[in-house]
Amino acid sequence: METIKKYLKEKCLDESQIKDFLETHGEEIKHFFVELWEKQFPKPAEDVPQTETPQADDSEQTVEQHENQQSEIKSNAQQEDMKKIGAGEQSDKEQAKQEALAFQIKNKQITFLNGKVNQEYCVDFDFEKLEIPEIAEVSFDKLEEIGLLYLPEEKKIKGMPTQAGDHKIEMKFKRKDWEEGKPLLAREVVFIINPDPRVLWSKNTPTPEDIEYYKLDSDKAFEKGESKIVKDEEIPRKDMVAASQRGRSHAIEGKPRDDDFALYFDSETEWYVMVVADGAGSAKYSRRGSQIACKTVKDICSKQLAKDGISEVLELAISEYQKDNSEKNRDDLYKSLHIEILAKAAWTAKNNIEKEATEKQRISKEYATTLLISICKKFNFGWFIGAFWVGDGGIGIYRKEPQELKILGVPDGGEFAGQTRFLTMPEIFRDRVRTRFEIVEDFTAVILMSDGVTDPKFETDANLNRIEKWKDLWADLNGDNEDKVKVDFSDDNEQSAEQLLKWLDFWSKGNHDDRTIAILF
């Protein structure tokens, strides 16, 4: 065996390749030498008796002739064997080379970055970096079936993956001395293509209409502020738009939308009312709680803002505070706004939810909901915006030019991340100041959002105070987004409701809650 190892070393094979060759072909080598030995030293026939040395005569061979004949036979046999070895030497050498190269390819670490369905894929692949100098060309079999192509001139694998899964692809290698008809070397590699999460979350099972408190899976509304005529001049009024979309987490399971909203504009008093409520996902009937809250607040606010004696007192307090923002004037305005309008509306909503729960012999906690309220009116000195805030989400006054931002409250945080407070909790009307107000010269938009919008667009509660985030949100609403969905905020555009609903379908990894937004613009 040492002789064979020496011979293979002379053929430029390293120790590992020799070891692999001998282990693979050991039995063949053994068989070859046994056969060769038997030819050179045949066993005597057992049925032929041994005889004395024959006597030479004219009709028989002499010993010398016999020896010469045996020598010639031996020589011829050796020549035949050598011919066989010589003829197979080239074949064996080729096979050894092919197998050594195959072994080298097999043990090379070749991995590719994971792809994702419907997402551009591009990775560098230069086979020369495999450091196998005998290889002149590489190809991939059926790579295009999963949406990818190998571009050797660019040394890249590119494309748009179409199929999720672990795809076994055969790589084929051509040696530099490869000729037509000769076999190619090959090995298997795996391309892992992850599914498009949008596809995983695309299932949209309608909410069964026979459930208690059935609600449409989406809703939208546009409230036009009719222009008014002042001294023969038409003065446009701002409009309101709102949309609410069931979250993907609910859509997959066929569960109802928990969010709700309400809009109201009184052309006589010129007060705008916007309400957004987010029913608690943990509360079985929160969809009804949010619905009761929005309807109640809309009814109470519209009624109180039109009531003689209340609207006059409120508007007088607003005017006095605008002239002199003293502590006394602030307190007077706060009391009028809080007691007679916002807190009264929220308190009535809470009572109406408790009444519903009592009638159904349930606890009010099962109807838990957040609540965001905003009332707005334009005065000759600017805009007044009042707000009441329970729970998470956000209320903001955004002005694009010049850049200005006012946040009308603070999100309620619970004991743990993701927790919040709800209107049905007993401490809501005593644990903090929930009514706030601002007077601004003008604004681009007053926006109320449930956390289904604030979580993906602002990431943290602290970011609600960053004007850059509101600037990005407004640009997003105006079409600067991946899906190029634009809401047209031009005056009197009733299509903005449908556009806003479509915008709410934006993709955000890990954010699949119900989404509701209301905008005065």
Side-chain angles (χ1 to χ4, degrees):
M1 294 298 285
E2 291 301 318
T3 304
I4 295 172
K5 288 182 179 179
K6 182 178 179 182
Y7 171 79
L8 293 174
K9 281 185 178 180
E10 290 175 354
K11 299 302 179 181
C12 299
L13 300 180
D14 59 32
E15 288 290 342
S16 62
Q17 292 170 334
I18 291 170
K19 181 180 179 181
D20 183 72
F21 177 82
L22 293 177
E23 288 177 352
T24 304
H25 300 284
E27 287 299 318
E28 295 177 31
I29 294 170
K30 178 180 177 182
H31 181 73
F32 172 78
F33 280 102
V34 168
E35 195 173 69
L36 184 62
W37 181 268
E38 289 177 349
K39 286 181 180 179
Q40 299 304 311
F41 306 98
K43 293 181 180 180
E46 293 180 355
D47 57 340
V48 179
Q50 296 293 322
T51 60
E52 296 294 329
T53 302
Q55 297 295 319
D57 58 32
D58 293 340
S59 62
E60 297 183 19
Q61 291 179 314
T62 64
V63 173
E64 184 178 357
Q65 287 174 329
H66 177 75
E67 290 178 349
N68 288 339
Q69 187 181 39
Q70 291 299 315
S71 177
E72 184 178 352
I73 292 171
K74 182 178 179 180
S75 177
N76 290 337
Q78 287 177 338
Q79 287 177 12
E80 286 299 317
D81 288 332
M82 290 305 293
K83 282 181 181 180
K84 289 181 181 179
I85 295 172
E89 182 179 352
Q90 186 64 31
S91 175
D92 290 345
K93 180 180 178 182
E94 175 67 20
Q95 185 178 354
K97 184 176 181 180
Q98 188 84 344
E99 291 176 352
L101 193 54
F103 180 80
Q104 204 174 353
I105 291 170
K106 178 184 176 182
N107 287 278
K108 278 292 179 182
Q109 184 176 357
I110 304 176
T111 58
F112 298 94
L113 291 176
N114 294 357
K116 185 183 293 184
V117 172
N118 298 327
Q119 191 172 101
E120 287 289 345
Y121 183 86
C122 182
V123 296
D124 295 328
F125 179 71
D126 182 359
F127 73 85
E128 293 180 358
K129 292 184 178 179
L130 296 177
E131 296 181 349
I132 308 177
E134 294 88 346
I135 298 300
E137 188 179 328
V138 169
S139 62
F140 294 82
D141 195 24
K142 298 182 179 180
L143 189 62
E144 65 278 2
E145 291 184 4
I146 61 172
L148 301 178
L149 288 173
Y150 172 49
L151 305 174
E153 64 280 0
E154 296 183 27
K155 297 180 180 179
K156 293 182 183 296
I157 296 173
K158 300 170 69 174
M160 183 81 75
T162 57
Q163 299 179 39
D166 294 0
H167 301 282
K168 296 178 180 179
I169 302 296
E170 192 173 52
M171 285 182 69
K172 293 185 176 179
F173 302 80
K174 283 185 181 180
R175 285 167 37 183
K176 289 182 177 179
D177 58 355
W178 182 84
E179 296 176 358
E180 192 68 38
K182 287 188 175 181
L184 297 175
L185 293 160
R187 68 161 284 179
E188 194 177 75
V189 292
V190 176
F191 280 82
I192 299 175
I193 306 300
N194 295 319
D196 183 349
R198 298 191 186 207
V199 175
L200 297 177
W201 287 93
S202 64
K203 185 178 179 181
N204 191 6
T205 305
T207 300
E209 295 186 19
D210 59 351
I211 66 167
E212 187 177 11
Y213 303 134
Y214 171 75
K215 182 186 290 188
L216 293 173
D217 293 336
S218 64
D219 196 8
K220 62 184 186 298
F222 176 81
E223 192 74 25
K224 182 179 178 181
E226 294 284 354
S227 300
K228 65 178 181 178
I229 306 298
V230 178
K231 296 180 180 180
D232 298 326
E233 180 182 354
E234 184 177 4
I235 300 175
R237 288 185 173 126
K238 292 184 183 292
D239 300 324
M240 289 183 292
V241 65
S244 182
Q245 176 64 56
R246 181 177 62 160
R248 291 184 176 90
S249 57
H250 284 174
I252 284 179
E253 300 178 13
K255 292 183 177 180
R257 172 172 55 96
D258 292 329
D259 282 12
D260 221 302
F261 70 85
L263 301 178
Y264 174 77
F265 174 68
D266 189 330
S267 59
E268 294 298 321
T269 65
E270 298 187 42
W271 278 102
Y272 294 86
V273 178
M274 296 191 294
V275 192
V276 166
D278 177 3
S282 58
K284 188 174 182 179
Y285 304 108
S286 66
R287 60 187 178 278
R288 178 60 175 161
S290 64
Q291 189 178 54
I292 291 172
C294 288
K295 184 180 185 306
T296 301
V297 169
K298 173 184 173 181
D299 292 344
I300 295 298
C301 285
S302 60
K303 179 181 177 181
Q304 293 298 97
L305 289 169
K307 186 180 288 187
D308 291 339
I310 293 178
S311 60
E312 287 88 343
V313 170
L314 174 61
E315 292 185 20
L316 178 61
I318 292 170
S319 297
E320 290 299 315
Y321 176 73
Q322 189 275 331
K323 294 175 186 175
D324 178 11
N325 59 357
S326 65
E327 194 67 29
K328 178 184 180 304
N329 286 344
R330 171 174 279 278
D331 288 344
D332 290 344
L333 174 53
Y334 175 82
K335 289 176 183 178
S336 179
L337 175 66
H338 180 74
I339 296 172
E340 297 296 339
I341 311 295
L342 298 180
K344 182 178 181 66
W347 181 262
T348 306
K350 177 179 182 293
N351 288 340
N352 284 349
I353 290 173
E354 291 174 347
K355 181 181 178 182
E356 177 82 8
T358 300
E359 290 176 354
K360 297 289 185 178
Q361 297 183 340
R362 297 167 181 152
I363 58 174
S364 60
K365 185 178 180 180
E366 292 185 282
Y367 294 80
T369 181
T370 67
L371 181 63
L372 303 176
I373 311 171
S374 175
I375 63 170
C376 311
K377 181 173 180 175
K378 189 177 188 307
F379 293 83
N380 56 7
F381 49 77
W383 281 85
F384 173 82
I385 300 100
F388 187 90
W389 186 331
V390 176
D392 45 25
I395 308 176
I397 310 168
Y398 172 69
R399 190 173 187 181
K400 184 178 179 181
E401 293 179 2
Q403 288 278 302
E404 190 175 8
L405 173 66
K406 301 287 185 182
I407 302 299
L408 293 174
V410 178
D412 281 298
E415 184 179 353
F416 304 103
Q419 285 189 331
T420 190
R421 288 186 172 87
F422 300 103
L423 182 63
T424 49
M425 291 179 173
E427 68 271 18
I428 286 304
F429 293 89
R430 62 173 184 265
D431 68 341
R432 60 185 290 185
V433 175
R434 297 187 175 279
T435 295
R436 297 196 182 188
F437 58 84
E438 291 285 349
I439 295 176
V440 297
E441 179 185 12
D442 201 0
F443 58 83
T444 301
V446 175
I447 305 176
L448 281 65
M449 302 167 281
S450 68
D451 68 333
V453 177
T454 58
D455 282 355
K457 297 303 181 182
F458 291 85
E459 291 99 24
T460 66
D461 291 343
N463 281 340
L464 285 170
N465 295 289
R466 294 181 56 199
I467 195 168
E468 296 86 355
K469 286 291 185 179
W470 288 83
K471 180 180 178 181
D472 291 343
L473 174 65
W474 191 248
D476 193 329
L477 285 161
N478 280 273
D480 186 12
N481 54 65
E482 182 181 354
D483 299 318
K484 305 301 179 186
V485 176
K486 179 180 179 180
V487 183
D488 182 1
F489 290 105
S490 58
D491 190 37
D492 297 344
N493 178 30
E494 295 186 8
Q495 296 302 313
S496 60
E498 183 63 39
Q499 294 164 355
L500 187 59
L501 182 59
K502 186 177 180 181
W503 179 85
L504 282 177
D505 197 38
F506 62 81
W507 172 258
S508 177
K509 183 179 179 181
N511 293 295
H512 308 299
D513 195 7
D514 294 352
R515 296 169 179 171
T516 302
I517 185 169
I519 305 171
L520 171 63
F521 63 97

